[in-house]
Amino acid sequence: MEADIARILIHRDKITTRVKAMAGEISAAYNGDDAGLTLVPVLSGSIIFLADLIRELPLKMKIALVQVSTYPGATTSPGDPQTLLELSGDVRGRHVIIVDDILDSGRTLRRVQAMVTRHQPKTVRTAVLLRKPARAPADVPVDFVGFDIEDLFVIGYGLDFDDHYRNYPHVAVLHPELMP
Ligand code: IMP
Ligand code: MG
């Protein structure tokens, strides 16, 4: 795997520090509000971020899963998002935080935000580890952002290329000859 990596963009230590700080920002946003909280991770890219984030969050919470596929197979340009798994828990009247790895074109989060909203939660916020500001559309609000990055295709810390490299501990860029 290491041989496929061209360069590390964000080292795991820097991610750890930022994720802890984000947990602080999220806790502060819900401070004193006792309506239930449900985190809605978008599978599969958010799993590593989710695992690290929730262990830094001292809030009582539930988790409800959604799965949306945007990048079919070995491609790096988005197609139309497909819902593979509808919300796996009841969020009616609850505070929801949608958790995703990255805000790129915004198609995925636009779809998930609409899906969650149909279930009548009390509030909906969104947390992403990464955002590509050059591409992020204005109509897809995100409340908590780990890092803004350049418009590059990245892997690691949950992010994949053709379902590989999710376990690479840093956010990194692959050698260009590996990508279409
Ligand atoms: P969007 O729908 O274009 O905003 O893309 C969001 C989804 O596409 C994310 O949940 C990721 O799974 C995937 N994605 C977008 N950009 C990248 C990238 O640079 N590397 C890996 N996956 C990405
Ligand atoms: Mg994803």
Side-chain angles (χ1 to χ4, degrees):
M1 177 165 71
E2 195 69 52
D4 296 351
I5 308 300
R7 69 185 168 100
I8 291 173
L9 196 68
I10 312 173
H11 192 279
R12 64 186 300 176
D13 294 343
K14 211 174 151 190
I15 300 173
T16 302
T17 304
R18 182 66 192 119
V19 170
K20 278 188 187 153
M22 287 181 84
E25 292 166 19
I26 291 171
S27 301
Y30 294 93
N31 197 19
D33 194 331
D34 59 2
L37 176 65
T38 300
L39 265 65
V40 175
V42 183
L43 298 176
S44 303
S46 66
I47 56 174
I48 312 280
F49 175 41
L50 178 84
D52 284 348
L53 180 69
I54 61 176
R55 286 177 294 171
E56 298 293 337
L57 274 179
L59 304 172
K60 198 167 171 181
M61 71 175 68
K62 295 184 181 184
I63 293 175
L65 309 173
V66 295
Q67 185 167 19
V68 177
S69 142
T70 319
Y71 286 45
T75 56
T76 56
S77 51
D80 249 358
Q82 310 261 6
T83 302
L84 304 177
L85 173 69
E86 278 272 353
L87 204 57
S88 73
D90 187 8
V91 299
R92 183 182 298 263
R94 298 179 63 82
H95 291 304
V96 169
I97 308 176
I98 298 167
V99 180
D100 206 358
D101 51 1
I102 188 165
L103 173 64
D104 182 18
S105 75
R107 286 180 225 216
T108 303
L109 280 174
R110 189 183 289 119
R111 187 181 187 104
V112 174
Q113 286 173 345
M115 187 200 303
V116 167
T117 302
R118 282 199 296 275
H119 291 264
Q120 298 177 303
K122 187 169 182 198
T123 62
V124 182
R125 288 185 172 99
T126 299
V128 293
L129 179 74
L130 306 173
R131 174 173 61 186
K132 297 178 186 170
R135 289 169 51 80
D139 69 320
V140 180
V142 285
D143 304 275
F144 308 101
V145 178
F147 301 91
D148 279 325
I149 62 166
E150 350 160 23
D151 186 8
L152 287 170
F153 193 84
V154 291
I155 57 84
Y157 199 75
L159 293 120
D160 73 300
F161 172 61
D162 197 18
D163 240 352
H164 285 126
Y165 311 108
R166 294 195 197 276
N167 58 320
Y168 193 69
H170 319 282
V171 171
V173 180
L174 292 173
H175 286 299
E177 63 270 19
L178 292 172
M179 306 207 298

PDB file of all heavy atoms in Angstrom, residues 70-71 76-78 100-109 128 130-137 140 149-153 159:
ATOM      1  N   THR A  70     -21.426   7.306  -4.528  1.00  0.00           N
ATOM      2  CA  THR A  70     -21.311   8.392  -5.513  1.00  0.00           C
ATOM      3  C   THR A  70     -20.318   8.065  -6.602  1.00  0.00           C
ATOM      4  O   THR A  70     -20.488   8.434  -7.749  1.00  0.00           O
ATOM      5  CB  THR A  70     -20.838   9.698  -4.833  1.00  0.00           C
ATOM      6  OG1 THR A  70     -21.504   9.827  -3.601  1.00  0.00           O
ATOM      7  CG2 THR A  70     -21.120  10.888  -5.707  1.00  0.00           C
ATOM      8  N   TYR A  71     -19.242   7.387  -6.195  1.00  0.00           N
ATOM      9  CA  TYR A  71     -18.149   7.122  -7.126  1.00  0.00           C
ATOM     10  C   TYR A  71     -18.174   5.637  -7.459  1.00  0.00           C
ATOM     11  O   TYR A  71     -17.637   4.827  -6.720  1.00  0.00           O
ATOM     12  CB  TYR A  71     -16.804   7.460  -6.473  1.00  0.00           C
ATOM     13  CG  TYR A  71     -16.512   8.921  -6.330  1.00  0.00           C
ATOM     14  CD1 TYR A  71     -17.469   9.800  -5.862  1.00  0.00           C
ATOM     15  CD2 TYR A  71     -15.266   9.430  -6.677  1.00  0.00           C
ATOM     16  CE1 TYR A  71     -17.208  11.148  -5.724  1.00  0.00           C
ATOM     17  CE2 TYR A  71     -14.988  10.769  -6.539  1.00  0.00           C
ATOM     18  CZ  TYR A  71     -15.969  11.619  -6.057  1.00  0.00           C
ATOM     19  OH  TYR A  71     -15.690  12.950  -5.928  1.00  0.00           O
ATOM     20  N   THR A  76     -12.945   8.606 -10.319  1.00  0.00           N
ATOM     21  CA  THR A  76     -12.725   9.727  -9.410  1.00  0.00           C
ATOM     22  C   THR A  76     -13.634  10.893  -9.782  1.00  0.00           C
ATOM     23  O   THR A  76     -13.458  11.995  -9.309  1.00  0.00           O
ATOM     24  CB  THR A  76     -11.261  10.197  -9.454  1.00  0.00           C
ATOM     25  OG1 THR A  76     -10.927  10.518 -10.810  1.00  0.00           O
ATOM     26  CG2 THR A  76     -10.331   9.124  -8.938  1.00  0.00           C
ATOM     27  N   SER A  77     -14.622  10.639 -10.650  1.00  0.00           N
ATOM     28  CA  SER A  77     -15.583  11.693 -10.944  1.00  0.00           C
ATOM     29  C   SER A  77     -16.966  11.184 -10.575  1.00  0.00           C
ATOM     30  O   SER A  77     -17.336  10.058 -10.897  1.00  0.00           O
ATOM     31  CB  SER A  77     -15.530  12.083 -12.421  1.00  0.00           C
ATOM     32  OG  SER A  77     -15.637  10.929 -13.203  1.00  0.00           O
ATOM     33  N   PRO A  78     -17.725  12.024  -9.867  1.00  0.00           N
ATOM     34  CA  PRO A  78     -18.985  11.556  -9.303  1.00  0.00           C
ATOM     35  C   PRO A  78     -20.045  11.274 -10.348  1.00  0.00           C
ATOM     36  O   PRO A  78     -20.191  11.996 -11.322  1.00  0.00           O
ATOM     37  CB  PRO A  78     -19.405  12.712  -8.402  1.00  0.00           C
ATOM     38  CG  PRO A  78     -18.673  13.904  -8.877  1.00  0.00           C
ATOM     39  CD  PRO A  78     -17.430  13.416  -9.543  1.00  0.00           C
ATOM     40  N   ASP A 100     -19.828  12.988   7.422  1.00  0.00           N
ATOM     41  CA  ASP A 100     -19.250  12.422   6.199  1.00  0.00           C
ATOM     42  C   ASP A 100     -17.757  12.723   6.140  1.00  0.00           C
ATOM     43  O   ASP A 100     -17.248  13.584   6.860  1.00  0.00           O
ATOM     44  CB  ASP A 100     -19.972  12.925   4.950  1.00  0.00           C
ATOM     45  CG  ASP A 100     -19.851  11.937   3.774  1.00  0.00           C
ATOM     46  OD1 ASP A 100     -19.174  10.889   3.910  1.00  0.00           O
ATOM     47  OD2 ASP A 100     -20.436  12.215   2.715  1.00  0.00           O
ATOM     48  N   ASP A 101     -17.081  11.975   5.282  1.00  0.00           N
ATOM     49  CA  ASP A 101     -15.637  12.161   5.149  1.00  0.00           C
ATOM     50  C   ASP A 101     -15.293  13.468   4.463  1.00  0.00           C
ATOM     51  O   ASP A 101     -14.401  14.183   4.880  1.00  0.00           O
ATOM     52  CB  ASP A 101     -14.997  10.954   4.413  1.00  0.00           C
ATOM     53  CG  ASP A 101     -15.701  10.602   3.106  1.00  0.00           C
ATOM     54  OD1 ASP A 101     -16.681  11.279   2.714  1.00  0.00           O
ATOM     55  OD2 ASP A 101     -15.282   9.618   2.460  1.00  0.00           O
ATOM     56  N   ILE A 102     -16.029  13.786   3.382  1.00  0.00           N
ATOM     57  CA  ILE A 102     -15.599  14.927   2.565  1.00  0.00           C
ATOM     58  C   ILE A 102     -16.785  15.559   1.857  1.00  0.00           C
ATOM     59  O   ILE A 102     -17.707  14.869   1.426  1.00  0.00           O
ATOM     60  CB  ILE A 102     -14.515  14.461   1.549  1.00  0.00           C
ATOM     61  CG1 ILE A 102     -13.883  15.635   0.803  1.00  0.00           C
ATOM     62  CG2 ILE A 102     -15.050  13.436   0.574  1.00  0.00           C
ATOM     63  CD1 ILE A 102     -12.577  15.267   0.086  1.00  0.00           C
ATOM     64  N   LEU A 103     -16.754  16.883   1.782  1.00  0.00           N
ATOM     65  CA  LEU A 103     -17.713  17.627   0.954  1.00  0.00           C
ATOM     66  C   LEU A 103     -16.979  18.024  -0.313  1.00  0.00           C
ATOM     67  O   LEU A 103     -16.072  18.854  -0.292  1.00  0.00           O
ATOM     68  CB  LEU A 103     -18.221  18.860   1.702  1.00  0.00           C
ATOM     69  CG  LEU A 103     -19.099  19.808   0.879  1.00  0.00           C
ATOM     70  CD1 LEU A 103     -20.388  19.146   0.434  1.00  0.00           C
ATOM     71  CD2 LEU A 103     -19.421  21.073   1.684  1.00  0.00           C
ATOM     72  N   ASP A 104     -17.395  17.402  -1.404  1.00  0.00           N
ATOM     73  CA  ASP A 104     -16.760  17.657  -2.698  1.00  0.00           C
ATOM     74  C   ASP A 104     -17.780  18.399  -3.566  1.00  0.00           C
ATOM     75  O   ASP A 104     -17.975  19.602  -3.392  1.00  0.00           O
ATOM     76  CB  ASP A 104     -16.298  16.310  -3.278  1.00  0.00           C
ATOM     77  CG  ASP A 104     -15.567  16.436  -4.600  1.00  0.00           C
ATOM     78  OD1 ASP A 104     -15.103  17.544  -4.917  1.00  0.00           O
ATOM     79  OD2 ASP A 104     -15.451  15.439  -5.330  1.00  0.00           O
ATOM     80  N   SER A 105     -18.479  17.706  -4.450  1.00  0.00           N
ATOM     81  CA  SER A 105     -19.485  18.382  -5.278  1.00  0.00           C
ATOM     82  C   SER A 105     -20.767  18.675  -4.487  1.00  0.00           C
ATOM     83  O   SER A 105     -21.587  19.470  -4.924  1.00  0.00           O
ATOM     84  CB  SER A 105     -19.847  17.519  -6.486  1.00  0.00           C
ATOM     85  OG  SER A 105     -20.679  16.443  -6.080  1.00  0.00           O
ATOM     86  N   GLY A 106     -20.928  18.012  -3.340  1.00  0.00           N
ATOM     87  CA  GLY A 106     -22.091  18.232  -2.498  1.00  0.00           C
ATOM     88  C   GLY A 106     -23.294  17.356  -2.829  1.00  0.00           C
ATOM     89  O   GLY A 106     -24.298  17.386  -2.125  1.00  0.00           O
ATOM     90  N   ARG A 107     -23.201  16.549  -3.901  1.00  0.00           N
ATOM     91  CA  ARG A 107     -24.362  15.725  -4.284  1.00  0.00           C
ATOM     92  C   ARG A 107     -24.756  14.746  -3.195  1.00  0.00           C
ATOM     93  O   ARG A 107     -25.937  14.529  -2.944  1.00  0.00           O
ATOM     94  CB  ARG A 107     -24.037  14.903  -5.532  1.00  0.00           C
ATOM     95  CG  ARG A 107     -24.010  15.728  -6.780  1.00  0.00           C
ATOM     96  CD  ARG A 107     -23.671  14.800  -7.927  1.00  0.00           C
ATOM     97  NE  ARG A 107     -22.668  15.427  -8.752  1.00  0.00           N
ATOM     98  CZ  ARG A 107     -22.621  15.300 -10.072  1.00  0.00           C
ATOM     99  NH1 ARG A 107     -23.488  14.554 -10.698  1.00  0.00           N
ATOM    100  NH2 ARG A 107     -21.685  15.913 -10.752  1.00  0.00           N
ATOM    101  N   THR A 108     -23.743  14.130  -2.574  1.00  0.00           N
ATOM    102  CA  THR A 108     -24.022  13.128  -1.546  1.00  0.00           C
ATOM    103  C   THR A 108     -24.731  13.765  -0.358  1.00  0.00           C
ATOM    104  O   THR A 108     -25.775  13.283   0.089  1.00  0.00           O
ATOM    105  CB  THR A 108     -22.698  12.485  -1.074  1.00  0.00           C
ATOM    106  OG1 THR A 108     -22.048  11.926  -2.200  1.00  0.00           O
ATOM    107  CG2 THR A 108     -22.946  11.419  -0.033  1.00  0.00           C
ATOM    108  N   LEU A 109     -24.171  14.854   0.152  1.00  0.00           N
ATOM    109  CA  LEU A 109     -24.753  15.461   1.357  1.00  0.00           C
ATOM    110  C   LEU A 109     -26.104  16.099   1.053  1.00  0.00           C
ATOM    111  O   LEU A 109     -26.999  16.071   1.892  1.00  0.00           O
ATOM    112  CB  LEU A 109     -23.784  16.475   1.963  1.00  0.00           C
ATOM    113  CG  LEU A 109     -22.685  15.819   2.795  1.00  0.00           C
ATOM    114  CD1 LEU A 109     -21.666  16.853   3.265  1.00  0.00           C
ATOM    115  CD2 LEU A 109     -23.275  15.098   4.012  1.00  0.00           C
ATOM    116  N   VAL A 128     -18.135  17.408   8.502  1.00  0.00           N
ATOM    117  CA  VAL A 128     -17.267  16.714   7.538  1.00  0.00           C
ATOM    118  C   VAL A 128     -15.810  16.873   7.967  1.00  0.00           C
ATOM    119  O   VAL A 128     -15.421  17.909   8.502  1.00  0.00           O
ATOM    120  CB  VAL A 128     -17.433  17.245   6.088  1.00  0.00           C
ATOM    121  CG1 VAL A 128     -18.812  16.900   5.546  1.00  0.00           C
ATOM    122  CG2 VAL A 128     -17.176  18.742   5.979  1.00  0.00           C
ATOM    123  N   LEU A 130     -13.264  16.768   5.736  1.00  0.00           N
ATOM    124  CA  LEU A 130     -12.605  17.549   4.691  1.00  0.00           C
ATOM    125  C   LEU A 130     -13.630  18.292   3.839  1.00  0.00           C
ATOM    126  O   LEU A 130     -14.763  17.825   3.685  1.00  0.00           O
ATOM    127  CB  LEU A 130     -11.793  16.622   3.762  1.00  0.00           C
ATOM    128  CG  LEU A 130     -10.776  15.689   4.408  1.00  0.00           C
ATOM    129  CD1 LEU A 130     -10.196  14.743   3.360  1.00  0.00           C
ATOM    130  CD2 LEU A 130      -9.667  16.484   5.084  1.00  0.00           C
ATOM    131  N   ARG A 131     -13.202  19.412   3.301  1.00  0.00           N
ATOM    132  CA  ARG A 131     -14.043  20.143   2.348  1.00  0.00           C
ATOM    133  C   ARG A 131     -13.146  20.678   1.249  1.00  0.00           C
ATOM    134  O   ARG A 131     -12.037  21.149   1.519  1.00  0.00           O
ATOM    135  CB  ARG A 131     -14.745  21.301   3.058  1.00  0.00           C
ATOM    136  CG  ARG A 131     -15.541  22.215   2.104  1.00  0.00           C
ATOM    137  CD  ARG A 131     -16.363  23.260   2.838  1.00  0.00           C
ATOM    138  NE  ARG A 131     -15.535  24.150   3.632  1.00  0.00           N
ATOM    139  CZ  ARG A 131     -16.006  25.076   4.470  1.00  0.00           C
ATOM    140  NH1 ARG A 131     -17.310  25.228   4.636  1.00  0.00           N
ATOM    141  NH2 ARG A 131     -15.185  25.853   5.151  1.00  0.00           N
ATOM    142  N   LYS A 132     -13.623  20.572   0.009  1.00  0.00           N
ATOM    143  CA  LYS A 132     -12.920  21.183  -1.120  1.00  0.00           C
ATOM    144  C   LYS A 132     -13.656  22.474  -1.456  1.00  0.00           C
ATOM    145  O   LYS A 132     -14.643  22.446  -2.188  1.00  0.00           O
ATOM    146  CB  LYS A 132     -12.907  20.241  -2.328  1.00  0.00           C
ATOM    147  CG  LYS A 132     -12.159  18.932  -2.102  1.00  0.00           C
ATOM    148  CD  LYS A 132     -12.217  18.018  -3.327  1.00  0.00           C
ATOM    149  CE  LYS A 132     -11.598  16.651  -3.044  1.00  0.00           C
ATOM    150  NZ  LYS A 132     -11.858  15.670  -4.126  1.00  0.00           N
ATOM    151  N   PRO A 133     -13.198  23.609  -0.894  1.00  0.00           N
ATOM    152  CA  PRO A 133     -13.969  24.856  -1.040  1.00  0.00           C
ATOM    153  C   PRO A 133     -14.132  25.276  -2.493  1.00  0.00           C
ATOM    154  O   PRO A 133     -15.121  25.922  -2.843  1.00  0.00           O
ATOM    155  CB  PRO A 133     -13.136  25.894  -0.273  1.00  0.00           C
ATOM    156  CG  PRO A 133     -12.118  25.152   0.480  1.00  0.00           C
ATOM    157  CD  PRO A 133     -11.975  23.788  -0.109  1.00  0.00           C
ATOM    158  N   ALA A 134     -13.187  24.878  -3.339  1.00  0.00           N
ATOM    159  CA  ALA A 134     -13.280  25.254  -4.748  1.00  0.00           C
ATOM    160  C   ALA A 134     -14.511  24.636  -5.405  1.00  0.00           C
ATOM    161  O   ALA A 134     -14.975  25.126  -6.432  1.00  0.00           O
ATOM    162  CB  ALA A 134     -12.021  24.810  -5.487  1.00  0.00           C
ATOM    163  N   ARG A 135     -15.041  23.549  -4.814  1.00  0.00           N
ATOM    164  CA  ARG A 135     -16.151  22.834  -5.440  1.00  0.00           C
ATOM    165  C   ARG A 135     -17.444  22.852  -4.625  1.00  0.00           C
ATOM    166  O   ARG A 135     -18.514  22.651  -5.182  1.00  0.00           O
ATOM    167  CB  ARG A 135     -15.733  21.374  -5.685  1.00  0.00           C
ATOM    168  CG  ARG A 135     -14.703  21.264  -6.794  1.00  0.00           C
ATOM    169  CD  ARG A 135     -14.095  19.879  -6.876  1.00  0.00           C
ATOM    170  NE  ARG A 135     -15.057  18.797  -6.931  1.00  0.00           N
ATOM    171  CZ  ARG A 135     -15.713  18.417  -8.039  1.00  0.00           C
ATOM    172  NH1 ARG A 135     -15.502  19.029  -9.166  1.00  0.00           N
ATOM    173  NH2 ARG A 135     -16.569  17.416  -7.986  1.00  0.00           N
ATOM    174  N   ALA A 136     -17.331  23.080  -3.317  1.00  0.00           N
ATOM    175  CA  ALA A 136     -18.498  22.957  -2.438  1.00  0.00           C
ATOM    176  C   ALA A 136     -19.589  23.960  -2.827  1.00  0.00           C
ATOM    177  O   ALA A 136     -19.335  25.157  -2.892  1.00  0.00           O
ATOM    178  CB  ALA A 136     -18.084  23.170  -0.992  1.00  0.00           C
ATOM    179  N   PRO A 137     -20.815  23.495  -3.100  1.00  0.00           N
ATOM    180  CA  PRO A 137     -21.884  24.399  -3.515  1.00  0.00           C
ATOM    181  C   PRO A 137     -22.494  25.133  -2.323  1.00  0.00           C
ATOM    182  O   PRO A 137     -22.463  24.643  -1.197  1.00  0.00           O
ATOM    183  CB  PRO A 137     -22.901  23.466  -4.158  1.00  0.00           C
ATOM    184  CG  PRO A 137     -22.706  22.167  -3.463  1.00  0.00           C
ATOM    185  CD  PRO A 137     -21.256  22.097  -3.056  1.00  0.00           C
ATOM    186  N   VAL A 140     -25.486  23.540   0.156  1.00  0.00           N
ATOM    187  CA  VAL A 140     -25.284  22.373   1.022  1.00  0.00           C
ATOM    188  C   VAL A 140     -24.544  22.845   2.281  1.00  0.00           C
ATOM    189  O   VAL A 140     -23.315  22.921   2.302  1.00  0.00           O
ATOM    190  CB  VAL A 140     -24.494  21.262   0.298  1.00  0.00           C
ATOM    191  CG1 VAL A 140     -24.295  20.057   1.212  1.00  0.00           C
ATOM    192  CG2 VAL A 140     -25.217  20.830  -0.972  1.00  0.00           C
ATOM    193  N   ILE A 149      -9.284  21.630   1.929  1.00  0.00           N
ATOM    194  CA  ILE A 149      -8.150  21.161   1.119  1.00  0.00           C
ATOM    195  C   ILE A 149      -8.312  21.621  -0.328  1.00  0.00           C
ATOM    196  O   ILE A 149      -9.389  22.019  -0.750  1.00  0.00           O
ATOM    197  CB  ILE A 149      -8.009  19.610   1.147  1.00  0.00           C
ATOM    198  CG1 ILE A 149      -9.248  18.928   0.553  1.00  0.00           C
ATOM    199  CG2 ILE A 149      -7.751  19.118   2.561  1.00  0.00           C
ATOM    200  CD1 ILE A 149      -9.034  17.447   0.229  1.00  0.00           C
ATOM    201  N   GLU A 150      -7.207  21.523  -1.066  1.00  0.00           N
ATOM    202  CA  GLU A 150      -7.258  21.864  -2.486  1.00  0.00           C
ATOM    203  C   GLU A 150      -8.076  20.811  -3.237  1.00  0.00           C
ATOM    204  O   GLU A 150      -8.368  19.755  -2.694  1.00  0.00           O
ATOM    205  CB  GLU A 150      -5.855  21.943  -3.123  1.00  0.00           C
ATOM    206  CG  GLU A 150      -4.749  21.902  -2.172  1.00  0.00           C
ATOM    207  CD  GLU A 150      -3.391  21.507  -2.727  1.00  0.00           C
ATOM    208  OE1 GLU A 150      -3.129  21.640  -3.932  1.00  0.00           O
ATOM    209  OE2 GLU A 150      -2.584  21.068  -1.912  1.00  0.00           O
ATOM    210  N   ASP A 151      -8.365  21.115  -4.477  1.00  0.00           N
ATOM    211  CA  ASP A 151      -9.181  20.218  -5.291  1.00  0.00           C
ATOM    212  C   ASP A 151      -8.325  19.067  -5.816  1.00  0.00           C
ATOM    213  O   ASP A 151      -7.898  19.051  -6.958  1.00  0.00           O
ATOM    214  CB  ASP A 151      -9.818  21.016  -6.438  1.00  0.00           C
ATOM    215  CG  ASP A 151     -10.798  20.165  -7.227  1.00  0.00           C
ATOM    216  OD1 ASP A 151     -11.091  19.027  -6.795  1.00  0.00           O
ATOM    217  OD2 ASP A 151     -11.268  20.641  -8.269  1.00  0.00           O
ATOM    218  N   LEU A 152      -8.063  18.102  -4.924  1.00  0.00           N
ATOM    219  CA  LEU A 152      -7.247  16.929  -5.228  1.00  0.00           C
ATOM    220  C   LEU A 152      -8.038  15.701  -4.850  1.00  0.00           C
ATOM    221  O   LEU A 152      -8.831  15.753  -3.906  1.00  0.00           O
ATOM    222  CB  LEU A 152      -6.000  16.908  -4.326  1.00  0.00           C
ATOM    223  CG  LEU A 152      -4.884  17.877  -4.579  1.00  0.00           C
ATOM    224  CD1 LEU A 152      -3.899  17.810  -3.408  1.00  0.00           C
ATOM    225  CD2 LEU A 152      -4.195  17.524  -5.891  1.00  0.00           C
ATOM    226  N   PHE A 153      -7.804  14.573  -5.521  1.00  0.00           N
ATOM    227  CA  PHE A 153      -8.428  13.326  -5.084  1.00  0.00           C
ATOM    228  C   PHE A 153      -7.549  12.711  -3.995  1.00  0.00           C
ATOM    229  O   PHE A 153      -6.383  12.420  -4.216  1.00  0.00           O
ATOM    230  CB  PHE A 153      -8.615  12.347  -6.244  1.00  0.00           C
ATOM    231  CG  PHE A 153      -9.523  11.214  -5.871  1.00  0.00           C
ATOM    232  CD1 PHE A 153     -10.901  11.355  -5.950  1.00  0.00           C
ATOM    233  CD2 PHE A 153      -9.001  10.022  -5.390  1.00  0.00           C
ATOM    234  CE1 PHE A 153     -11.752  10.324  -5.566  1.00  0.00           C
ATOM    235  CE2 PHE A 153      -9.847   8.981  -5.010  1.00  0.00           C
ATOM    236  CZ  PHE A 153     -11.216   9.137  -5.103  1.00  0.00           C
ATOM    237  N   LEU A 159     -11.196   7.470   3.505  1.00  0.00           N
ATOM    238  CA  LEU A 159     -11.459   7.770   2.090  1.00  0.00           C
ATOM    239  C   LEU A 159     -10.819   6.715   1.201  1.00  0.00           C
ATOM    240  O   LEU A 159      -9.696   6.273   1.451  1.00  0.00           O
ATOM    241  CB  LEU A 159     -10.909   9.152   1.731  1.00  0.00           C
ATOM    242  CG  LEU A 159     -11.649  10.296   2.417  1.00  0.00           C
ATOM    243  CD1 LEU A 159     -10.712  11.091   3.283  1.00  0.00           C
ATOM    244  CD2 LEU A 159     -12.340  11.170   1.398  1.00  0.00           C
TER     245      LEU A 159
END
